Amino acid sequence: MGQEKMIDRVKAKAREIKRNIFVLYLAYKHPRVPWYAKLIALCVAAYAFSPIDLIPDFIPVLGYLDELIIVPLGITLALKLIPQEVIQDCREKAEEIRKKGKPKNWVTGALFIIIWILLAIWIGSICYRFFK
């Protein structure tokens, strides 16, 4: 029984995180949200909706670091910066969007691919000069 309760709590927390991502997605467009909160909300939502992870999941332990730590911390920070009235308004709209399926941010995904390619080229050039 104890393990089932823990699994249920983890599932509930995951649903809450997903719901809050949709809230942030809507809040960054809201006119009553300060610019710095919009910036954080946009970055967190874009990263969460991106098909590309900053840390690929196939890397043991570190691969899930973003889903377990980075995204929830970003959500928490952004929600603290957004006025509570706006959050309440966005929660209702977010529930409708969530039911339809999460939007994909292909521009952000492409940006992350470009960053990874540039990082690989940079590291490759350093290694080439070092071992030359």
Side-chain angles (χ1 to χ4, degrees):
M1 280 277 187
Q3 188 175 6
E4 289 178 13
K5 286 184 180 181
M6 187 173 76
I7 290 172
D8 290 340
R9 284 194 311 233
V10 169
K11 286 181 181 180
K13 191 66 175 170
R15 282 191 297 273
E16 180 184 343
I17 288 172
K18 284 183 180 182
R19 185 184 60 202
N20 285 332
I21 291 170
F22 288 107
V23 170
L24 294 180
Y25 172 74
L26 296 171
Y28 90 88
K29 297 181 197 178
H30 202 284
R32 291 181 44 213
V33 175
W35 70 268
Y36 50 88
K38 285 184 179 189
L39 180 64
I40 293 172
L42 176 62
C43 289
V44 172
Y47 182 76
F49 291 145
S50 173
I52 307 298
D53 281 344
L54 182 62
I55 305 169
D57 289 342
F58 63 82
I59 298 174
V61 181
L62 292 177
Y64 293 102
L65 184 66
D66 55 349
E67 284 93 357
L68 296 174
I69 296 173
I70 297 171
V71 172
L73 284 176
I75 290 170
T76 302
L77 176 62
L79 289 176
K80 287 186 184 288
L81 297 173
I82 298 170
Q84 287 300 312
E85 308 85 45
V86 174
I87 291 173
Q88 286 304 112
D89 291 342
C90 292
R91 282 197 197 281
E92 295 170 8
K93 293 177 186 175
E95 187 60 30
E96 292 176 23
I97 293 173
R98 189 188 64 77
K99 289 178 182 177
K100 294 177 184 177
K102 86 176 182 180
K104 299 284 185 196
N105 190 333
W106 294 105
V107 172
T108 303
L111 181 62
F112 275 105
I113 290 171
I114 291 169
I115 289 170
W116 277 110
I117 290 171
L118 291 174
L119 184 62
I121 291 170
W122 179 64
I123 291 171
S125 69
I126 290 172
C127 290
Y128 177 76
R129 280 187 251 136
F130 182 73
F131 293 112
K132 187 176 177 184

